């Protein structure tokens, strides 16, 4: 009896089960995105003109952005179930618990540090330092309040 050979496993996952490898789509789309970003940034007015060939600058920017853009496209198109060794529910892993706890701890320390720092620097340092710390504290508190309200409503 003839048995159809199974597709070779793909270490970086596939677009869908039995589909093409995700990197086959991620690499060309990521390179095109990197080229577009490189061309857009080289034409931005932040660079002094006539210091370097514009195409060389666009190529260098694109080369720097290419790995991140390929990884981003891969993240969007890959099907997690096709990645060997991937957990079916990573949000229930111990690492996710550690991350959540570290985020909570760092947020509370940020609030305590900026509040205490703003109070102490108002006595000994220029006012700009304490205003900066007050702004960081207010921003963190505002982001927390908005996040809390959004989660309460959902």
């Amino acid at each position: 009896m003839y048995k159809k050979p199974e597709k070779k496993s793909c270490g970086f996952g596939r677009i869908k089960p039995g589909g093409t490898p995700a990197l086959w789509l991620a690499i060309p789309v990521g390179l095109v995105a990197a080229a577009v970003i490189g061309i857009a940034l080289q034409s931005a007015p932040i660079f002094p003109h006539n210091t370097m060939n514009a195409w060389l600058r666009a190529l260098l920017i694109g080369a720097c952005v290419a790995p991140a853009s390929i990884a981003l496209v891969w993240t969007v198109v890959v099907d997690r179930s096709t990645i060997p060794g991937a957990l079916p529910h990573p949000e229930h892993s111990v690492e996710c618990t550690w991350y959540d706890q570290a985020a909570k701890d760092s947020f509370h320390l940020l609030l305590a540090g900026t509040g205490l720092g703003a109070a102490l620097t108002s006595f000994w340092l220029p006012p700009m330092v304490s205003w900066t710390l007050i702004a960081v504290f207010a921003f963190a508190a505002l982001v927390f309040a908005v996040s809390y309200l959004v989660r309460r409503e959902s």
Side-chain angles (χ1 to χ4, degrees):
M1 178 164 132
Y2 175 74
K3 186 176 183 182
K4 185 177 179 182
E6 294 183 20
K7 285 192 174 182
K8 184 173 73 169
S9 75
C10 182
F12 290 104
R14 296 184 176 277
I15 293 175
K16 60 183 179 181
T20 61
L23 282 180
W24 286 8
L25 179 65
I27 290 174
V29 172
L31 289 175
V32 168
V36 168
I37 291 170
I39 292 169
L41 285 179
Q42 78 83 23
S43 63
I46 59 173
F47 293 112
H49 293 288
N50 298 330
T51 58
M52 181 189 290
N53 186 352
W55 289 107
L56 179 60
R57 185 184 306 135
L59 180 68
L60 289 175
I61 293 170
C64 291
V65 174
S69 63
I70 291 170
L72 179 63
V73 173
W74 177 84
T75 303
V76 171
V77 300
V78 73
D79 182 9
R80 283 191 50 79
S81 67
T82 63
I83 301 173
L87 297 174
H89 299 288
E91 64 274 7
H92 300 300
S93 69
V94 68
E95 289 85 3
C96 187
T97 306
W98 294 339
Y99 177 85
D100 287 342
Q101 191 59 46
K104 291 175 190 173
D105 293 344
S106 61
F107 175 73
H108 291 121
L109 288 173
L110 172 75
L111 287 180
T114 55
L116 185 62
L120 293 176
T121 58
S122 66
F123 294 115
W124 293 293
L125 294 175
M128 193 61 188
V129 174
S130 61
W131 282 110
T132 303
L133 289 173
I134 290 169
V136 170
F137 178 87
F139 177 74
L142 178 68
V143 168
F144 174 78
V146 169
S147 177
Y148 180 82
L149 293 174
V150 167
R151 290 183 188 277
R152 186 179 76 179
E153 293 300 320
S154 61

